[in-house]
Amino acid sequence: MSNSSSIRQFLLLAFADRRELQLLHFWLFLGIYLAALLGNGLIITTIACDHHLHTPMYFFLLNLSLLDLGSISTTLPKAMANSLWDNTDISYKGCAAQLFFFAFFISAEFYLLTIMSYDRYVAICKPLHYGTLLGSRACVHMAAAAWGTGFLNALLHTANTFSLPLCQGNALDQFFCEIPQILKLSCSHSDYSREIGLLVLSCLLGLGCFGFIFLSYVEIFRAVVRIPSEQGRHKAFSTCLPHLAVVFLFVSTGSFAYLKPPSISSPSLDLVVSFLYSVVPPAVNPLIYSMRNQELKNSLKKLMYE
């Protein structure tokens, strides 16, 4: 029996036991990480440098890219290092920091996606009030609210999770530190129940955000259908589809990771699913936003050829 005060490190789950597969995973992770850095970095640089893109939609997209860079940089470099050096250790403080930053970036990103749905709602359903409802000060305040709420949410969960006495060893069935895996090591039912209560509260807040996104798009689709010209409908849809695709990818992978039936759960499947929801969205989001956004692609080409 050990408690949290005697734990100096945690053992993460390895992607493979064979050395050849570990090196293969390292190169795969490196490619994905570089692609995420390049894609998100180009979006941030393009929006920051082109004054034509200094609009609410692109301001929120810049914030989304910053959060994507933060979330993938929290988990993937450590997984790369573990695969390269055949190591699964992470220090107690390192685990706490990883859990905090991952919870911070993920929760802030979901709040930001909710705000971005409001931006699309106002742009399509209330275009005459767009400049009033989404002025520069309002946009900064909303983005700051997303970042601040994510920070407080992560701080609360991290402090409560790592205040639990741990007596079930130090091995985590995950390639990075996350709350459910730490809770499995707890031996205090009262404190465990307290964290479960916080998780339920966070889930209810998340459901509220999802409901807001859903209702926003119901109104958006109603407004788009009433647009008389086909070109106008196509333009309206083209500004909404990337955001809708990002929300679907984010929600579907995260929901499957945490809500899949226990009957189909296994360490290998859990590892693959956690990789999908924690690594794939930050790497794919820049591609989703740049594929159908001609304005962004033109600004990117202009930036590259100057």
Side-chain angles (χ1 to χ4, degrees):
M1 299 280 292
S2 63
N3 55 40
S4 55
S5 62
S6 63
I7 293 179
R8 294 291 178 264
Q9 64 181 14
F10 292 95
L11 300 178
L12 300 174
L13 189 63
F15 278 91
D17 296 328
R18 293 174 54 188
R19 186 59 183 155
E20 296 83 0
L21 290 177
Q22 289 176 338
L23 293 176
L24 179 62
H25 283 131
F26 166 76
W27 289 110
L28 176 63
F29 297 158
L30 180 61
I32 294 174
Y33 188 56
L34 291 178
L37 290 180
L38 178 62
N40 287 290
L42 285 175
I43 286 181
I44 293 170
T45 305
T46 302
I47 295 174
C49 294
D50 191 341
H51 70 278
H52 293 103
L53 301 182
H54 291 178
T55 63
M57 183 179 75
Y58 291 108
F59 171 74
F60 293 133
L61 179 56
L62 184 147
N63 279 267
L64 180 67
S65 292
L66 288 172
L67 290 170
D68 281 336
L69 282 179
S71 64
I72 198 170
S73 297
T74 301
T75 58
L76 207 52
K78 179 59 179 174
M80 290 164 53
N82 287 349
S83 296
L84 181 62
W85 303 113
D86 189 19
N87 180 43
T88 61
D89 298 349
I90 184 171
S91 67
Y92 185 89
K93 291 182 179 179
C95 186
Q98 190 178 61
L99 187 149
F100 168 79
F101 282 111
F102 185 73
F104 166 44
F105 289 122
I106 288 295
S107 55
E109 181 165 336
F110 191 48
Y111 302 144
L112 184 68
L113 288 173
T114 306
I115 293 171
M116 293 173 77
S117 70
Y118 175 71
D119 166 68
R120 292 299 84 209
Y121 164 77
V122 175
I124 294 175
C125 300
K126 300 180 182 296
L128 297 179
H129 302 283
Y130 188 72
T132 304
L133 295 175
L134 287 166
S136 57
R137 180 173 295 182
C139 290
V140 170
H141 287 169
M142 285 189 284
W147 287 80
T149 306
F151 177 85
L152 291 176
N153 179 67
L155 184 63
L156 185 63
H157 282 291
T158 304
N160 191 65
T161 300
F162 280 90
S163 67
L164 302 175
L166 308 178
C167 59
Q168 305 294 330
N170 66 339
L172 304 177
D173 293 330
Q174 187 58 279
F175 76 98
F176 66 95
C177 293
E178 63 174 358
I179 294 173
Q181 298 301 325
I182 303 296
L183 293 182
K184 289 181 180 180
L185 307 180
S186 171
C187 52
S188 173
H189 294 291
S190 59
D191 291 338
Y192 182 92
S193 300
R194 185 178 61 188
E195 178 56 28
I196 291 296
L198 289 175
L199 288 174
V200 170
L201 184 62
S202 296
C203 288
L204 291 176
L205 181 59
L207 286 175
C209 291
F210 180 77
F212 182 87
I213 295 173
F214 177 79
L215 292 176
S216 296
Y217 272 100
V218 169
E219 294 300 318
I220 287 172
F221 288 139
R222 285 180 177 176
V224 170
V225 169
R226 292 195 295 265
I227 296 176
S229 68
E230 183 178 349
Q231 184 179 2
R233 290 195 297 269
H234 180 269
K235 183 177 181 181
F237 272 125
S238 66
T239 63
C240 294
L241 287 180
H243 174 260
L244 200 57
V246 168
V247 171
F248 175 78
L249 181 65
F250 184 92
V251 173
S252 61
T253 54
S255 298
F256 185 73
Y258 289 106
L259 302 178
K260 64 183 181 298
S263 59
I264 66 171
S265 182
S266 66
S268 57
L269 178 62
D270 293 346
L271 200 62
V272 172
V273 171
S274 63
F275 181 83
L276 288 178
Y277 94 87
S278 63
V279 173
V280 173
V284 175
N285 286 350
L287 182 62
I288 294 175
Y289 265 99
S290 60
M291 279 177 60
R292 297 182 61 88
N293 194 317
Q294 193 61 43
E295 189 176 16
L296 185 61
K297 288 192 287 188
N298 291 338
S299 296
L300 181 58
K301 290 178 182 177
K302 182 181 176 182
L303 180 67
M304 292 177 65
Y305 290 115
E306 281 184 351

